[in-house]
Amino acid sequence: MLIHPDRLFPVEPAARDVARRLYEQVRDLPIISPHGHTDPRWFAKDEPFPDPATLFVIPDHYIFRMLYSQGVRLEELGIPAKDGSPGERDPRAIWRRFASHYHLFRGTPTRLWLDHTFSTLFGFTERLSAANADAYYDRIDAALRTPEFRPRALFERFRIEAIATTESPLDPLAHHEAIRQSGWKGRVVTAYRPDPVVDPEFEGFRQNLARFGEITGHDTSTWSGYLDAHRTRRAFFRRYGATSTDHGHPTARTADLSQADAEALFRRVSTGDATPEDAEMFRAQMLTEMAAMSVEDGMVMQLHPGSFRNHNDALYRRFGRDMGADIPLQTDYVRALKPLLDRFGNEPNFTFILFTLDETSYSRELAPLAGHYPALKLGPAWWFFDAPEGMRRFRELTTETAGFYNTVGFNDDTRAYLSIPARHDVARRVDCAYLANLVTTHRLDEDEAHEVAYDLAYRLAKEAYKL
Amino acid sequence: MLIHPDRLFPVEPAARDVARRLYEQVRDLPIISPHGHTDPRWFAKDEPFPDPATLFVIPDHYIFRMLYSQGVRLEELGIPAKDGSPGERDPRAIWRRFASHYHLFRGTPTRLWLDHTFSTLFGFTERLSAANADAYYDRIDAALRTPEFRPRALFERFRIEAIATTESPLDPLAHHEAIRQSGWKGRVVTAYRPDPVVDPEFEGFRQNLARFGEITGHDTSTWSGYLDAHRTRRAFFRRYGATSTDHGHPTARTADLSQADAEALFRRVSTGDATPEDAEMFRAQMLTEMAAMSVEDGMVMQLHPGSFRNHNDALYRRFGRDMGADIPLQTDYVRALKPLLDRFGNEPNFTFILFTLDETSYSRELAPLAGHYPALKLGPAWWFFDAPEGMRRFRELTTETAGFYNTVGFNDDTRAYLSIPARHDVARRVDCAYLANLVTTHRLDEDEAHEVAYDLAYRLAKEAYKL
Amino acid sequence: MLIHPDRLFPVEPAARDVARRLYEQVRDLPIISPHGHTDPRWFAKDEPFPDPATLFVIPDHYIFRMLYSQGVRLEELGIPAKDGSPGERDPRAIWRRFASHYHLFRGTPTRLWLDHTFSTLFGFTERLSAANADAYYDRIDAALRTPEFRPRALFERFRIEAIATTESPLDPLAHHEAIRQSGWKGRVVTAYRPDPVVDPEFEGFRQNLARFGEITGHDTSTWSGYLDAHRTRRAFFRRYGATSTDHGHPTARTADLSQADAEALFRRVSTGDATPEDAEMFRAQMLTEMAAMSVEDGMVMQLHPGSFRNHNDALYRRFGRDMGADIPLQTDYVRALKPLLDRFGNEPNFTFILFTLDETSYSRELAPLAGHYPALKLGPAWWFFDAPEGMRRFRELTTETAGFYNTVGFNDDTRAYLSIPARHDVARRVDCAYLANLVTTHRLDEDEAHEVAYDLAYRLAKEAYKL
């Protein structure tokens, strides 16, 4: 059997029993997925996924980075280079390479969700290996051609109550419009991710600004017109269900410049005269501006800071972004967030959700901040920490200071559609295991633990994100 | 039942049995409380505590910050504003608000000590909730009017062998004098906390210096007179039992300036011409000066660095200090302490106890430093980490490098008088659980574990603080 | 009994059983010791070790720093001062002092390996104490005079398949030559540790450069001659089995200067005109140069950064280096390594093994880097973290991102020859315990765990270091 019914529960029998009881009540709750990167085209077109390699391997940098780290070239895995030079084109050959390296994933969350998916969706009972690679390929390939494996059918099978995709302000949201036109009832909403028009170091920033003006009808060559363009576009996104914005900055720095200074800074970054410090300051100021707009329009604000993007220069030049070379950086929150919190930290109607790639900030900075400011909430363990040990540390390091109710449940944050049930299942299991430990060490009563398990699995995400 | 006899012990039966045996030997040991913030007035006057809300909620920023973080305004909890504007005045209404939010404390140490107190002092068996808020209020309120709940009676009931309060050099120690005059035998000693006359950024620093001169009869407008004032005042504090000093600085920075540079720096900070860097350097220099005096007079020196005080500006302006908005900062010890350690780190008669709000320093910096320098000892898990998971991490992260005997037992560090037995009980249980784990994984023999449990619960604090 | 057959295994019976089964298969595997500090003279001369104090106490700063931290002076432990002033000369008196402080090591890895050694090599069944100090001394002293306790006999008894010592480029490798001449079959290889000729702040750096030129026949007053001297000396070291280089820098900084800038920098550092920033930049550049040579000659490169050496100034002046006062510093890898990784991170034939004294970098920086770059591998938990809790954290914090196969098994990194079997045994036990936890929480199948246990205990070190 690929997956065990007691996986991730405590080993000690008394604690395992509590975990089982807690999990039993939350295992079948609908999925709220308030932050992720699924492609709205899937839900708009409802076309079959092409083949196992194209579904599982080629688009997933968690998978191919591990093979790359052990000497498999990206070309051998069918990753398209920017210059169009040919890599492996045979999906079955790619799949075999992946299968023959499956041992590399031992002990990783990738392994957990793959086994879950192979077992629950495709009925496999034997671990993937070089020996059974073809049998795996054939069965998955055949299944993908059936109606049950179309995106909308999976959406319903996964019991997704609501899912958010993430789009740039420059995106026309045509797929979201098509979903609405189609009459399909699945709740797929967008989220406003303005990095391309907020980060002066984003590729094509100046052209993006011009396009932003065309789309919104505002004069984005002026500071006030630029801000109005955001207001207009945020309203447009809300028409497609958006309840949140998301911001992926290298640091958590915020600023609160005077009107004149902000205008002068905007002039420099929009005309290309910006220094790196200008760029950083502009991103900082824009976080505060986005917060101001959230106070006005009620959109929940998310900050995902602290990644050094595209660290591998040669790979970036050959293959572009998202090649598995985004590396976390030490991240300060206490000084960085103060300008924004000084203005909006006490706002009763503002929700500002913080994520981190620097675990040292959980207990030192994030839990104390979230345990105090009414506007602040902690997002779940993110990215490299979205795994059983990482999730456990998140609870151990934040709960004693911030409690459970300054956190917001789980985000799967994934592009890997088929992994969504597995990821939520892991989160529910890890939280139940953590709660079972509190119960069996007599820090929490079991009736309360049931309530908390429900809140962490369902209610907190739904309420924090207004879904 | 609100508290379970096996709480915080390992779940695995064999380890739990060892923990029970270890705990059995230390559970009833007297309490040594060498560092805390109880009010000496309580012991001097021995008056009844007014009512449940005034005792538990209004003065405790651990409690009200959690409600504040979830949208309850401080006015609703009776927290007095600086301008005297009226907040909630009905203690029963405050108590009801607290009770109806009791679920927010799930998984927190506040919940642990409150349940302990409600159970052991007031006999409650049912968890506090909105439904039983009035019943709780009435029973506690009635108890507080009885002689058994006067401060001195509780002192004896709590089996406190010695407790240290914390006072400014400007404090006349009148309550401590009154305690001595009263003939009551409870051992309440003061501790010397000179921040108001050492930190140039403390409110009223220059007036404080003047007052410091008046009190001590030294000319505090000169560097040498200022240092003499400290010597005189330290001696005065020792008359009221003080065996220690305490220093609450934003960083752990120390300095060892030449006489001339120190004089010039003192001139700048005492006349108000100081830059922020001057202020930081003066605090740094004063740590080394305080160490020099400790080498002379034998007072144990404590450093509590790394808190960004009053982070919430609006709240600070409206309500003042200690509103739950002190946030930890990343803290360096290795470079920061070198000037002081170069002078006094090898002194056999000097005890310098370090605390941290930055857990990353436990294994990286503090344990290696304390495992080497004769003068250095590690204070216990502090503030946000003074909780079961935090205490466990403290042991796991320091013991392998510094052992047990470069640590100093437990400090409750609290203003919440009724929480003291619960806090020491938690520390004893967590240490016994840690030791039980060492015993059952055969890293320590049980006879040794008994000795260590006693040392951690009682002997080390008594000896390190010379109490 | 001093050591228990189940030590360090999980307490829960089901998990303990799995750990036992895993351990059973790896306990007797040969020892690969690819990085350490044993003295090649031992193997060349094969003379008896002198006495218990000289073997265990005097050369081991892990042991004497702990006694020093509790007020025992180094003179009392026979540590020789630089000025030749006499300390304790009676080894039995030193041993008694050590024995009477044995309780200080409770909970430390030093205690674990000492008990292992006392039990397995000398047959003790009673814990060392002041009471049995003489009996211990006599039995060990007598054993050391027997042929079974000569270095080569122990080598075979320890089942060492290969061990690397560490030498400076200025070392003539005479002992290694003597080992080869002797016909003894034990595999003792050297490793190239060029700090004395790479670090401008190393004692005698300029004289070292001159000597480096004499030894190699290159003109080390020029940049190209200096680089050639390294090439020549690396080849010489390879003749004595060296497969690796090792670099002990204060930071992980690397650089990739132009030829002209590198030449100018070399001129400044080699003529004594270097600033501290020059020294740091030169070390940084030299890491990249060493990587370039490794790409050419296939030597595995190791980086051990982040120690503030000789932090205790008075002790350093009196006793010299390695007195237990090396303290870890916070260490950045992401920005620091980029210049080197930009050049060689994607090289298929380059192995670059990273160590850290800053545990915060495990999950935030090192695992993401090693889980991506083909050249990078993670060295095991190092120095203060080379202990059960530290090793457990290493796995918990790196496996979910980097897996097992971007790590390189265990290094004992020790000067304490008799501790080697105990250290490898601890590592094997901790890894088996970790794997047993994955198995019993159903994250890994037991057949896979057996394979991983073997890889971690033997294969990965052998392959990564090409031994």
Side-chain angles (χ1 to χ4, degrees):
Chain A
M1 202 169 47
L2 276 186
I3 57 174
H4 191 283
D6 285 332
R7 63 193 180 280
L8 300 171
F9 290 162
V11 181
E12 201 284 322
R16 193 180 52 212
D17 284 349
V18 176
R20 281 176 178 158
R21 288 197 294 271
L22 295 172
Y23 175 69
E24 193 55 39
Q25 304 295 316
V26 300
R27 63 174 295 168
D28 294 327
L29 286 172
I31 286 176
I32 302 286
S33 176
H35 177 96
H37 300 277
T38 52
D39 189 340
R41 170 191 299 265
W42 298 334
F43 309 113
K45 305 277 189 187
D46 202 33
E47 291 168 347
F49 292 107
D51 65 76
T54 307
L55 177 58
F56 284 106
V57 182
I58 296 172
D60 192 329
H61 59 75
Y62 292 85
I63 289 180
F64 65 68
R65 80 174 170 84
M66 185 62 97
L67 274 67
Y68 184 72
S69 78
Q70 289 280 314
V72 181
R73 289 179 306 114
L74 297 188
E75 289 83 351
E76 298 176 90
L77 296 169
I79 314 301
K82 283 160 74 178
D83 67 1
S85 61
E88 177 65 63
R89 285 168 174 166
D90 175 8
R92 185 178 294 268
I94 294 168
W95 183 261
R96 285 175 182 163
R97 256 169 223 129
F98 165 56
S100 69
H101 288 85
Y102 200 56
H103 65 285
L104 298 180
F105 297 98
R106 288 171 182 167
T108 71
T110 303
R111 164 70 180 271
L112 283 183
W113 79 254
L114 285 168
D115 279 0
H116 181 110
T117 301
F118 294 155
S119 169
T120 59
L121 290 186
F122 302 101
F124 290 105
T125 56
E126 192 182 77
R127 204 162 65 223
L128 179 62
S129 68
N132 62 21
D134 279 343
Y136 254 79
Y137 188 91
D138 292 334
R139 192 193 296 180
I140 294 173
D141 201 53
L144 296 181
R145 296 164 202 268
T146 65
E148 293 75 19
F149 282 83
R150 296 276 178 94
R152 291 182 183 175
L154 290 172
F155 189 99
E156 284 144 25
R157 178 170 179 174
F158 292 167
R159 243 182 272 113
I160 296 174
E161 181 176 313
I163 195 168
T165 66
T166 303
E167 272 79 38
S168 153
L170 306 180
D171 190 293
L173 304 186
H175 297 305
H176 282 275
E177 175 63 20
I179 294 167
R180 267 143 196 76
Q181 297 292 341
S182 76
W184 178 58
K185 295 297 177 212
R187 187 167 178 203
V188 179
V189 304
T190 184
Y192 189 73
R193 171 91 171 220
D195 301 3
V197 293
V198 156
D199 178 0
E201 294 173 331
F202 205 94
E203 298 100 319
F205 174 68
R206 288 170 65 194
Q207 299 89 301
N208 294 347
L209 282 191
R211 179 86 190 110
F212 195 35
E214 290 162 26
I215 290 174
T216 58
H218 293 284
D219 178 3
T220 53
S221 72
T222 71
W223 174 234
S224 67
Y226 169 74
L227 294 178
D228 282 340
H230 277 291
R231 286 188 191 93
T232 295
R233 203 64 183 164
R234 289 166 66 109
F236 178 75
F237 269 58
R238 287 197 299 282
R239 292 216 298 273
Y240 293 96
T243 65
S244 67
T245 72
D246 184 35
H247 308 274
H249 288 202
T251 75
R253 190 160 159 197
T254 65
D256 190 17
L257 301 177
S258 71
Q259 172 78 6
D261 286 349
E263 278 181 2
L265 176 61
F266 179 73
R267 210 170 305 124
R268 291 199 297 282
V269 303
S270 62
T271 55
D273 280 342
T275 64
E277 169 58 21
D278 281 340
E280 173 70 358
M281 182 58 83
F282 188 72
R283 290 186 295 258
Q285 179 63 23
M286 283 311 297
L287 287 180
T288 308
E289 300 292 347
M290 290 287 111
M293 291 184 200
S294 278
V295 171
E296 286 171 16
D297 66 20
M299 292 178 84
V300 170
M301 182 168 167
Q302 300 172 89
L303 178 60
H304 284 87
S307 180
F308 188 124
R309 303 275 171 180
N310 313 308
H311 191 270
N312 188 328
D313 198 50
L315 224 59
Y316 177 59
R317 279 186 278 111
R318 180 158 173 74
F319 295 96
R321 293 183 154 246
D322 296 328
M323 290 297 122
D326 294 348
I327 311 293
L329 287 166
Q330 194 181 302
T331 305
D332 159 65
Y333 292 87
V334 182
R335 292 193 181 90
L337 293 177
K338 195 165 191 310
L340 188 157
L341 292 173
D342 276 347
R343 279 191 59 191
F344 303 116
N346 298 299
E347 283 290 333
N349 299 317
F350 174 45
T351 299
F352 185 24
I353 300 175
L354 297 177
F355 295 80
T356 196
L357 292 175
D358 178 358
E359 294 189 304
T360 68
S361 64
Y362 281 157
S363 66
R364 186 181 59 215
E365 306 180 18
L366 293 177
L369 286 166
H372 169 73
Y373 282 100
L376 279 186
K377 297 280 176 290
L378 299 189
W382 175 42
W383 203 336
F384 297 107
F385 308 137
D386 174 9
E389 299 293 339
M391 291 173 172
R392 178 180 56 79
R393 290 196 297 271
F394 173 77
R395 292 286 172 217
E396 288 179 357
L397 288 159
T398 65
T399 307
E400 290 182 332
T401 294
F404 292 107
Y405 295 101
N406 289 304
T407 67
V408 299
F410 182 62
N411 288 183
D412 55 69
D413 192 23
T414 193
R415 289 160 221 275
Y417 187 39
L418 270 59
S419 76
I420 289 177
R423 292 179 190 273
H424 286 261
D425 187 66
V426 165
R428 290 170 186 189
R429 286 172 180 274
V430 172
D431 282 338
C432 287
Y434 177 74
L435 291 166
N437 183 256
L438 294 187
V439 169
T440 49
T441 56
H442 310 290
R443 286 181 261 181
L444 193 69
D445 297 327
E446 191 169 332
D447 67 313
E448 299 179 284
H450 277 286
E451 199 174 305
V452 175
Y454 175 85
D455 293 342
L456 300 181
Y458 182 73
R459 188 177 66 85
L460 287 176
K462 191 176 166 80
E463 292 186 2
Y465 285 90
K466 308 179 179 179
L467 284 169
Chain B
M1 202 168 45
L2 276 186
I3 57 174
H4 191 283
D6 285 332
R7 64 193 178 280
L8 300 171
F9 290 163
V11 181
E12 200 284 322
R16 193 179 53 210
D17 284 349
V18 176
R20 281 176 179 159
R21 288 196 294 270
L22 296 172
Y23 176 69
E24 193 55 40
Q25 305 294 316
V26 300
R27 63 174 295 168
D28 296 327
L29 286 173
I31 285 175
I32 303 286
S33 176
H35 177 96
H37 301 276
T38 51
D39 189 340
R41 171 192 297 266
W42 298 334
F43 309 113
K45 305 278 190 187
D46 202 34
E47 291 168 347
F49 292 106
D51 65 75
T54 307
L55 178 58
F56 284 106
V57 182
I58 297 172
D60 193 330
H61 58 76
Y62 292 84
I63 290 180
F64 65 68
R65 80 171 169 85
M66 186 62 97
L67 274 66
Y68 184 71
S69 79
Q70 290 280 314
V72 180
R73 288 179 306 114
L74 296 188
E75 289 84 348
E76 299 176 89
L77 296 169
I79 314 302
K82 283 159 73 177
D83 66 2
S85 60
E88 177 65 64
R89 285 167 175 166
D90 175 7
R92 186 179 293 268
I94 294 167
W95 183 262
R96 285 175 181 163
R97 255 169 224 129
F98 165 56
S100 68
H101 289 86
Y102 200 56
H103 65 285
L104 298 180
F105 297 98
R106 288 171 181 166
T108 72
T110 303
R111 163 70 179 272
L112 281 183
W113 80 254
L114 286 168
D115 279 359
H116 182 111
T117 302
F118 294 155
S119 169
T120 59
L121 289 187
F122 301 101
F124 290 106
T125 55
E126 191 183 78
R127 204 161 66 223
L128 178 63
S129 68
N132 62 20
D134 279 344
Y136 254 77
Y137 188 91
D138 293 334
R139 193 192 295 180
I140 295 172
D141 200 52
L144 296 182
R145 296 162 202 270
T146 66
E148 293 76 19
F149 282 83
R150 296 278 178 94
R152 292 182 183 176
L154 288 173
F155 189 99
E156 285 145 24
R157 178 171 178 174
F158 292 167
R159 244 182 272 112
I160 296 174
E161 181 175 313
I163 195 168
T165 65
T166 303
E167 272 79 39
S168 154
L170 305 180
D171 190 293
L173 304 186
H175 297 306
H176 282 275
E177 175 62 22
I179 294 167
R180 267 141 196 78
Q181 296 292 340
S182 76
W184 178 59
K185 295 298 176 210
R187 187 168 179 204
V188 179
V189 304
T190 184
Y192 190 71
R193 171 92 171 218
D195 300 2
V197 294
V198 156
D199 178 1
E201 294 173 331
F202 206 94
E203 297 100 320
F205 174 69
R206 289 169 65 194
Q207 299 90 301
N208 293 346
L209 282 191
R211 179 86 191 111
F212 195 33
E214 291 162 26
I215 289 173
T216 58
H218 293 285
D219 177 4
T220 52
S221 70
T222 71
W223 175 232
S224 67
Y226 169 75
L227 293 178
D228 282 339
H230 277 290
R231 286 189 192 92
T232 296
R233 202 63 182 165
R234 290 166 66 108
F236 178 75
F237 269 58
R238 286 198 298 282
R239 292 218 297 274
Y240 293 96
T243 66
S244 68
T245 71
D246 184 35
H247 308 274
H249 287 201
T251 74
R253 190 160 158 195
T254 65
D256 189 18
L257 301 177
S258 71
Q259 172 78 6
D261 286 349
E263 279 180 1
L265 176 60
F266 179 72
R267 210 170 306 123
R268 291 199 299 281
V269 303
S270 64
T271 55
D273 280 343
T275 63
E277 169 58 20
D278 281 340
E280 173 70 357
M281 181 58 82
F282 188 72
R283 289 186 296 259
Q285 179 63 22
M286 283 310 297
L287 286 180
T288 308
E289 300 293 345
M290 289 287 112
M293 291 185 201
S294 279
V295 171
E296 287 171 17
D297 66 20
M299 291 178 84
V300 171
M301 182 168 168
Q302 300 171 90
L303 178 59
H304 284 87
S307 181
F308 189 124
R309 302 275 172 182
N310 313 307
H311 191 271
N312 189 328
D313 198 51
L315 223 61
Y316 177 59
R317 279 185 279 111
R318 179 157 174 76
F319 295 97
R321 292 181 153 248
D322 295 328
M323 290 297 123
D326 294 348
I327 310 293
L329 287 165
Q330 195 182 302
T331 305
D332 159 65
Y333 292 86
V334 182
R335 292 191 180 92
L337 294 177
K338 195 164 191 310
L340 188 157
L341 292 173
D342 276 347
R343 279 191 58 191
F344 303 115
N346 298 298
E347 283 290 333
N349 299 317
F350 174 45
T351 300
F352 185 23
I353 301 175
L354 298 178
F355 295 80
T356 195
L357 292 174
D358 179 357
E359 292 188 304
T360 68
S361 64
Y362 280 157
S363 65
R364 186 181 58 215
E365 306 180 18
L366 293 176
L369 286 166
H372 169 72
Y373 282 101
L376 279 186
K377 297 280 176 292
L378 299 189
W382 175 42
W383 202 335
F384 296 108
F385 308 136
D386 174 11
E389 299 293 339
M391 291 173 173
R392 178 180 57 78
R393 289 195 298 271
F394 174 77
R395 291 287 172 216
E396 289 180 355
L397 288 159
T398 65
T399 306
E400 291 183 331
T401 294
F404 292 108
Y405 295 101
N406 289 304
T407 68
V408 299
F410 183 62
N411 289 183
D412 55 68
D413 191 23
T414 192
R415 288 158 221 276
Y417 186 39
L418 270 59
S419 75
I420 289 177
R423 291 178 191 273
H424 286 261
D425 187 66
V426 165
R428 291 171 185 189
R429 287 172 178 273
V430 172
D431 282 338
C432 288
Y434 177 75
L435 291 166
N437 183 256
L438 293 186
V439 170
T440 48
T441 55
H442 310 290
R443 286 181 262 183
L444 194 70
D445 297 327
E446 189 168 334
D447 67 313
E448 300 178 282
H450 277 285
E451 199 174 304
V452 176
Y454 175 85
D455 294 342
L456 300 182
Y458 181 75
R459 187 178 67 86
L460 288 176
K462 190 174 167 83
E463 293 186 1
Y465 285 91
K466 308 180 179 178
L467 285 169
Chain C
M1 203 168 46
L2 275 187
I3 57 173
H4 191 284
D6 285 332
R7 63 193 180 281
L8 300 171
F9 290 163
V11 182
E12 201 283 323
R16 193 179 52 211
D17 284 349
V18 177
R20 280 175 179 160
R21 288 197 294 270
L22 296 172
Y23 176 70
E24 193 56 40
Q25 305 294 317
V26 301
R27 64 175 294 168
D28 295 326
L29 286 173
I31 286 176
I32 303 285
S33 176
H35 177 98
H37 301 277
T38 52
D39 190 339
R41 170 191 299 265
W42 298 334
F43 308 113
K45 305 278 190 187
D46 202 34
E47 291 168 347
F49 292 105
D51 65 76
T54 307
L55 177 58
F56 285 106
V57 182
I58 296 172
D60 193 329
H61 58 75
Y62 292 84
I63 289 180
F64 66 67
R65 80 172 169 84
M66 185 63 95
L67 274 66
Y68 184 72
S69 78
Q70 290 281 313
V72 180
R73 289 179 306 113
L74 296 188
E75 290 83 351
E76 299 175 90
L77 296 170
I79 314 300
K82 283 159 73 176
D83 67 2
S85 61
E88 177 64 63
R89 287 169 173 164
D90 176 8
R92 186 178 293 268
I94 294 167
W95 182 262
R96 285 175 181 162
R97 256 170 224 128
F98 165 56
S100 69
H101 289 87
Y102 200 57
H103 64 286
L104 298 179
F105 296 98
R106 288 170 181 166
T108 71
T110 303
R111 163 71 180 272
L112 282 184
W113 79 255
L114 286 168
D115 279 0
H116 181 111
T117 302
F118 294 156
S119 169
T120 59
L121 289 187
F122 303 101
F124 290 105
T125 56
E126 193 182 75
R127 202 162 63 223
L128 178 62
S129 68
N132 61 21
D134 279 343
Y136 254 78
Y137 187 91
D138 292 334
R139 191 192 297 180
I140 295 173
D141 201 53
L144 296 183
R145 297 163 201 269
T146 64
E148 293 76 19
F149 283 83
R150 296 278 177 94
R152 291 182 183 177
L154 289 172
F155 189 98
E156 285 145 25
R157 178 170 178 173
F158 292 167
R159 241 181 274 113
I160 296 174
E161 181 176 312
I163 195 168
T165 66
T166 303
E167 271 79 40
S168 154
L170 305 180
D171 190 292
L173 303 187
H175 297 305
H176 282 275
E177 176 61 22
I179 294 168
R180 265 142 197 78
Q181 297 292 341
S182 75
W184 177 58
K185 295 297 176 210
R187 187 167 179 205
V188 179
V189 304
T190 184
Y192 190 71
R193 171 92 170 218
D195 301 3
V197 293
V198 156
D199 178 0
E201 294 172 331
F202 206 94
E203 298 100 319
F205 174 69
R206 289 170 64 194
Q207 300 90 301
N208 294 347
L209 282 191
R211 179 87 191 110
F212 195 33
E214 290 163 25
I215 289 174
T216 57
H218 293 286
D219 177 3
T220 52
S221 71
T222 70
W223 175 233
S224 66
Y226 169 75
L227 293 178
D228 282 340
H230 277 291
R231 284 188 192 94
T232 296
R233 203 62 182 164
R234 289 166 66 109
F236 179 75
F237 269 58
R238 286 198 299 281
R239 293 218 296 273
Y240 294 96
T243 65
S244 66
T245 72
D246 183 35
H247 308 273
H249 287 202
T251 74
R253 190 161 159 195
T254 64
D256 189 18
L257 300 178
S258 69
Q259 171 79 6
D261 286 349
E263 278 181 2
L265 175 60
F266 179 72
R267 211 171 305 124
R268 291 198 299 281
V269 303
S270 62
T271 55
D273 280 344
T275 63
E277 169 58 20
D278 281 339
E280 173 71 357
M281 182 59 82
F282 188 72
R283 290 186 295 259
Q285 179 63 22
M286 283 310 296
L287 287 180
T288 307
E289 299 293 346
M290 289 287 112
M293 292 185 201
S294 278
V295 170
E296 286 170 19
D297 66 19
M299 291 179 85
V300 170
M301 182 169 169
Q302 301 172 88
L303 178 60
H304 284 86
S307 181
F308 189 124
R309 303 276 170 180
N310 312 308
H311 192 270
N312 189 328
D313 198 52
L315 223 61
Y316 176 60
R317 280 185 278 111
R318 182 158 171 73
F319 294 96
R321 293 183 152 247
D322 295 328
M323 289 297 123
D326 294 348
I327 311 292
L329 287 166
Q330 194 182 305
T331 305
D332 160 65
Y333 292 86
V334 183
R335 291 192 181 90
L337 294 177
K338 194 165 192 311
L340 189 156
L341 292 174
D342 277 347
R343 278 193 57 192
F344 303 115
N346 299 298
E347 283 290 332
N349 299 318
F350 174 45
T351 299
F352 185 24
I353 301 176
L354 297 178
F355 295 80
T356 196
L357 291 174
D358 179 358
E359 293 188 304
T360 68
S361 64
Y362 281 157
S363 65
R364 186 182 59 214
E365 306 181 18
L366 293 176
L369 286 166
H372 169 72
Y373 281 101
L376 279 186
K377 297 281 177 289
L378 299 189
W382 175 42
W383 202 336
F384 296 108
F385 308 136
D386 174 10
E389 300 292 339
M391 291 172 173
R392 179 180 55 79
R393 290 195 297 272
F394 173 76
R395 291 286 173 217
E396 288 180 357
L397 288 159
T398 64
T399 306
E400 290 183 332
T401 295
F404 292 107
Y405 295 100
N406 289 304
T407 69
V408 299
F410 182 62
N411 288 183
D412 55 69
D413 191 23
T414 192
R415 288 159 221 275
Y417 186 40
L418 270 59
S419 75
I420 289 176
R423 292 179 190 274
H424 285 261
D425 187 66
V426 165
R428 291 171 185 190
R429 286 172 180 274
V430 171
D431 282 337
C432 288
Y434 177 73
L435 290 166
N437 184 256
L438 293 186
V439 170
T440 49
T441 56
H442 309 291
R443 287 181 261 182
L444 193 70
D445 297 328
E446 191 169 331
D447 67 313
E448 299 179 283
H450 277 285
E451 198 175 306
V452 176
Y454 175 84
D455 293 342
L456 300 182
Y458 181 74
R459 188 177 67 85
L460 288 176
K462 191 176 168 80
E463 293 186 2
Y465 284 91
K466 308 179 179 180
L467 285 168

